[in-house]
Amino acid sequence: MSSVPAIDCVDVVKTYEEGRIRALAGMSLRVEAGEFVAVVGPSGCGKSTLLHLIAALDRPDAGEIHVAGHDLAHERSLDHYRAHHVGMVFQLHNLLPTLNALENVQVPMFELDLGGAERRERARQLLETVGLSERERSRPAQLSGGERQRVAIARALANDPSVLLADEPTGNLDSEAGRIVLELLERIRAERETTLVLVTHDTDVSERADRIVRMLDGRVDESSAPRATVLTLAPPTLRPVRGS
Amino acid sequence: MSFVSLVLRNLFRQRMRTALTVVGISVGITIVVALGAITGGLKDTAGAMLREGGADFMVARKGSADLTFSAVSAKEWTQVASMQGVERATGVLMHVTRHGSNPFFPLLGIRAAQLEQSPPELVAGRLLAPGATDEVILGTSAAADTDSAPGSSVTIAGKPFRVVGIYRSDNVFYDSGGYAPLEAVQDIARKPDVVTAVYVTAQAGAEPRALAVAIEDAYPELTTVRDVTEYGKVDQGIQIMDALNLAVSVLAIALGAIAVMNTMIMAVFERTREFGILRAVGWRGSRIMRLVLTEALLLCLVAAVLGTAFGVLATRGVMLIEEIRNFLEPTYTLDVFVRAVLIAAGVGLVGALYPAYRAVRLSPMEALRHE
């Protein structure tokens, strides 16, 4: 096990509506660099909230979150952190509707010190990676659901993050499109050695992860996660990939 | 894709709303430009009046609401002329009357000998003859308006005159007027032994400013005007125009800012989710603020260009009216255009600051949840 985990959440608490809704109730999770973790659990158990806190889209009420060596509670600029260290893929692609695929992929790159030509070239390469070179001029409305999600994945990779977070990336897709997206995420994770945390309801998807973390009522469901416990201790290279 | 192309893309989304906002701001800028050009023309005329005959400064009655109301007595004129350091003191009586199509024909009464000392540029005929009482020389515009030439007879304010010369002046006010013997104009104006102002030229070596101060000290009821900025001492007209200009500018900014704020608040509200996406992918708050402000500034810059063009066209349209053309020529100084651009930029910044602040204040999650 690596001494510095890619993600380390300790006793994270997050409530909404002045404490009436407890989304996370002391959630702890440690993810090693390069690991593929699937977070599963019933609706409202706090899966997406956890992902949003790791992506620094929101702040926890209590607890600590460390990502790639960054203590998010004390991070000087969460914008900088979001731009450089994490890539987020949402269930709904969240692409900008007036921009075409190539332009959407370039959006995060404004935070890098790149010229326009370099941005374009880099975005083209990423669209090639997700198999959408032919659709670079298409706007989101002209793309299928699966294609939009692939553009969103390319955008998430724009600034070469070490951690990729995917919130139900196949949730709105048909099985074929979902399969393509999932295989793409697996390939990217393998090629780039990116840490991948994926929230899903789909057991077919979660079964492909290195480790499954089951959540219940805002924390890890310890009672139903023997596989998770075992895999957490194994280094990524020795870890069984799926189904074992 | 550049930052500016992103800005343009956003502006072109709601074309009708963007166009209406631009038109709204343009109207304000149009009025600012037109008023600025007209005020500039009035100032030019005032400046020409001050420089009459190449004088260093003008002496007039203190507190006059309008220069034509100023009355300097013959005695005061003589006293000023006899002061140490005065080279020349030319008394001019200005009488504004209807002549031809010009409702504001300026008939300037002056002694023939003094007109000769600093004559206007003659294009035909001669200057006034010493001792003559029924001669007049006309500006080229006035002559054209009444089909007059040397040898013609004209009647001004009921008094017959012989046209003996035609002069040209760069200033439309003077070019639309005429010079006649002082006594004749005093008779027409029923102002015997009075001139409107005395134009003083200092002797070589004498300091005009010190001379002006000495005259004001010696004759507290008189005032001296050395440049256009002091013109308010004897004429409130330009001050009123300046105040009007300022009031219109402030109104233009206020109304324009409200229009921009309305547009940008709607744009920010509609694009809340997009701002959430931008924050989610790491855009800094300052970049989002820059995006909103640039959109507003670009919108206002277009309005400034359109408003300036409309302003020039509107002024030219007004100048088609002959009565106005005879006494006023708008002046398009750089100052007028710079003011238009600055007002537009002010409108953009004031109007977009709050929407931009709102866009930046949104938490990414809150924005992403927005439907």
Side-chain angles (χ1 to χ4, degrees), chain B residues 115-327:
Chain B
L115 184 63
E116 218 166 277
Q117 287 174 328
S118 50
E121 183 192 347
L122 275 179
V123 293
R126 59 171 172 81
L127 293 173
L128 303 173
T133 57
D134 64 345
E135 291 183 355
V136 69
I137 61 170
L138 296 175
T140 51
S141 297
D145 182 45
T146 53
D147 271 339
S148 302
S152 309
S153 294
V154 291
T155 301
I156 302 172
K159 182 176 171 54
F161 284 96
R162 273 187 307 119
V163 179
V164 296
I166 307 293
Y167 67 89
R168 178 166 42 217
S169 171
D170 289 339
N171 186 272
V172 68
F173 183 75
Y174 281 98
D175 208 53
S176 305
Y179 289 91
L182 178 60
E183 290 72 17
V185 180
Q186 284 174 333
D187 188 38
I188 289 171
R190 293 190 179 84
K191 288 180 177 173
D193 297 327
V194 160
V195 290
T196 305
V198 177
Y199 292 87
V200 175
T201 307
Q203 283 175 351
E207 171 56 46
R209 181 187 295 264
L211 184 57
V213 171
I215 290 172
E216 286 189 344
D217 287 347
Y219 306 102
E221 315 81 48
L222 299 180
T223 190
T224 59
V225 183
R226 279 178 286 117
D227 56 48
V228 175
T229 58
E230 293 182 347
Y231 203 73
K233 288 178 176 180
V234 293
D235 195 321
Q236 315 294 306
I238 288 180
Q239 284 181 319
I240 291 169
M241 283 299 283
D242 270 340
L244 186 66
N245 215 343
L246 180 67
V248 169
S249 301
V250 169
L251 268 178
I253 289 179
L255 294 177
I258 290 170
V260 171
M261 194 179 291
N262 180 49
T263 298
M264 296 314 295
I265 280 183
M266 284 174 76
V268 166
F269 183 77
E270 285 167 1
R271 283 155 52 201
T272 298
R273 191 178 173 84
E274 290 181 30
F275 288 120
I277 295 169
L278 293 174
R279 296 304 300 273
V281 300
W283 270 40
R284 281 170 282 165
S286 59
R287 192 179 298 279
I288 287 178
M289 177 164 268
R290 196 144 52 92
L291 181 73
V292 177
L293 291 180
T294 311
E295 284 176 24
L297 282 175
L298 202 63
L299 197 120
C300 291
L301 190 69
V302 173
V305 172
L306 281 179
T308 303
F310 290 153
V312 171
L313 285 175
T315 321
R316 291 201 170 171
V318 168
M319 287 304 119
L320 291 175
I321 304 166
E322 198 169 7
E323 283 82 356
I324 295 174
R325 194 172 59 228
N326 280 333
F327 74 95

Side-chain angles (χ1 to χ4, degrees), chain A residues 91-103:
Chain A
Q91 179 175 2
L92 291 169
H93 52 84
N94 276 338
L95 297 175
L96 296 176
T98 53
L99 305 185
N100 63 35
L102 190 68
E103 291 164 339

Side-chain angles (χ1 to χ4, degrees), chain A residues 16-36:
Chain A
Y16 294 105
E17 295 187 14
E18 295 171 347
R20 286 193 294 276
I21 298 172
R22 204 171 173 83
L24 293 178
M27 172 75 192
S28 293
L29 173 71
R30 184 181 166 106
V31 180
E32 303 303 332
E35 199 178 2
F36 174 9

Side-chain angles (χ1 to χ4, degrees), chain A residues 16 52 57-58 79 82-83 90 92 94-99 103 106-108 110-111 119-120 139 155, chain B residues 1-3 6 9-10 13 273-274 277-285 287 363-365 368-369:
Chain A
Y16 294 105
H52 295 154
L57 297 177
D58 213 345
D79 296 329
R82 282 193 291 267
F90 298 91
L92 291 169
N94 276 338
L95 297 175
L96 296 176
T98 53
L99 305 185
E103 291 164 339
Q106 289 177 63
V107 169
F110 278 95
E111 291 300 320
R119 272 202 304 267
R120 266 193 306 281
R139 292 191 180 185
R155 182 183 64 184
Chain B
M1 177 187 60
S2 67
F3 187 78
L6 192 59
R9 208 76 67 88
N10 289 332
R13 259 181 205 201
R273 191 178 173 84
E274 290 181 30
I277 295 169
L278 293 174
R279 296 304 300 273
V281 300
W283 270 40
R284 281 170 282 165
R287 192 179 298 279
S363 88
M365 251 351 274
L368 283 168
R369 283 194 202 106

